[in-house]
């Protein structure tokens, strides 16, 4: 039976452990995460981690899943609230320039997620699910190819701006988003290249 399926004594303890795990990952990197560091950060007994999680792989996969679901929820809510093409483009700008994606913590965690996923198939699927959710949110307003391009732009701008001594300002980001959104990649505006999915 998977560790995450065991009934908890404290319904919020598992979530506190996962949030603490993400804090430890952001501070030390996934490679240096230990049960002891997580337990100390969560202020729970060390033994409670093995109650909720089978092993470190289970815990890290669950923590990265929590991150993905949290960011995807805020990402999706902004796009779901858009009622016009202009509002949809502004939502993309807000995702890049606001606090949905590009916080220092989220960026550090996304770097760790990509690196960890490269060697761990279970975590790779978490990342793929996150990408699918982002593209599905964008596909409410944009054709599939544009949705893919904007999804990549969200991550790319956020990463570049975090290290660039002269990051692109909001007006510049908006101009790039407009340029991509207004360019019809295919004459029918909605076809998807063979083998691609949203």
């Amino acid at each position: 039976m998977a560790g995450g399926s065991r009934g908890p004594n404290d319904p919020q303890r598992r979530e506190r452990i996962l949030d603490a795990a993400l804090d430890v990952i952001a501070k030390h990197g996934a490679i240096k995460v230990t049960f002891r560091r997580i337990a100390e950060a969560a202020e729970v007994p060390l033994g409670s981690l093995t109650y909720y999680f089978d092993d470190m792989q289970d815990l890290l996969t669950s923590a990265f899943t929590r991150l993905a679901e949290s960011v995807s929820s805020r990402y999706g809510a902004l796009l779901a609230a858009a009622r016009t093409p202009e509002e949809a483009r502004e939502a993309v700008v807000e995702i890049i320039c606001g606090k949905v994606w590009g916080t220092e913590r989220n960026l550090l965690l996304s770097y760790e997620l990509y690196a960890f996923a490269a060697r761990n198939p279970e975590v790779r699927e978490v990342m793929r699910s996150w990408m699918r959710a982002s593209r599905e949110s964008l596909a409410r307003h944009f054709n599939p190819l544009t949705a893919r391009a904007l999804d990549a732009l969200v991550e790319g701008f956020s990463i570049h701006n975090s290290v660039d001594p002269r990051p692109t300002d909001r007006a510049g980001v908006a101009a790039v988003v407009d340029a991509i959104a207004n360019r019809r990649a295919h004459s029918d505006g909605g076809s998807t290249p063979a083998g691609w999915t949203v």
Side-chain angles (χ1 to χ4, degrees):
M1 181 167 62
S5 66
R6 299 187 184 109
N9 295 323
D10 174 1
Q12 295 182 340
R13 178 174 287 185
R14 185 176 187 274
E15 284 64 40
R16 287 206 311 275
I17 292 170
L18 293 176
D19 288 337
L22 291 171
D23 288 340
V24 173
I25 293 167
K27 183 175 181 179
H28 299 286
I31 196 171
K32 293 186 177 180
V33 170
T34 65
F35 279 152
R36 185 171 300 280
R37 277 180 167 164
I38 294 171
E40 289 174 354
E43 299 182 341
V44 300
L46 182 60
S48 66
L49 272 67
T50 55
Y51 179 85
Y52 292 96
F53 306 98
D54 290 330
D55 52 27
M56 183 60 75
Q57 177 78 21
D58 182 26
L59 197 162
L60 290 176
T61 300
S62 298
F64 280 128
T65 299
R66 183 168 174 80
L67 169 71
E69 289 175 348
S70 174
V71 176
S72 290
S73 176
R74 298 196 300 275
Y75 191 123
L78 276 172
L79 287 160
R83 294 291 178 265
T84 65
E86 292 75 18
E87 289 179 358
R89 293 195 294 271
E90 177 55 31
V92 175
V93 175
E94 176 59 23
I95 290 167
I96 296 170
C97 298
K99 299 301 182 183
V100 174
W101 173 264
T103 66
E104 182 178 354
R105 181 177 185 269
N106 282 350
L107 286 168
L108 285 170
L109 289 170
S110 67
Y111 301 152
E112 293 293 332
L113 173 59
Y114 273 98
F116 198 70
R119 298 176 177 84
N120 295 271
E122 288 182 19
V123 181
R124 194 176 307 141
E125 185 52 39
V126 172
M127 187 173 70
R128 288 171 176 164
S129 294
W130 188 354
M131 291 169 64
R132 284 194 297 270
S134 298
R135 291 173 186 171
E136 286 167 3
S137 294
L138 287 161
R140 291 171 177 264
H141 306 284
F142 307 100
N143 69 58
L145 188 59
T146 302
R148 290 176 70 98
L150 290 173
D151 189 39
L153 184 73
V154 167
E155 292 192 35
F157 251 138
S158 298
I159 291 169
H160 282 218
N161 277 352
S162 72
V163 297
D164 194 331
R166 298 180 63 187
T168 305
D169 63 14
R170 192 180 186 98
V173 171
V176 176
V177 169
D178 286 345
I180 293 172
N182 289 330
R183 181 181 177 86
R184 297 175 71 91
H186 292 80
S187 58
D188 65 3
S191 65
T192 305
W196 285 28
T197 57
V198 175

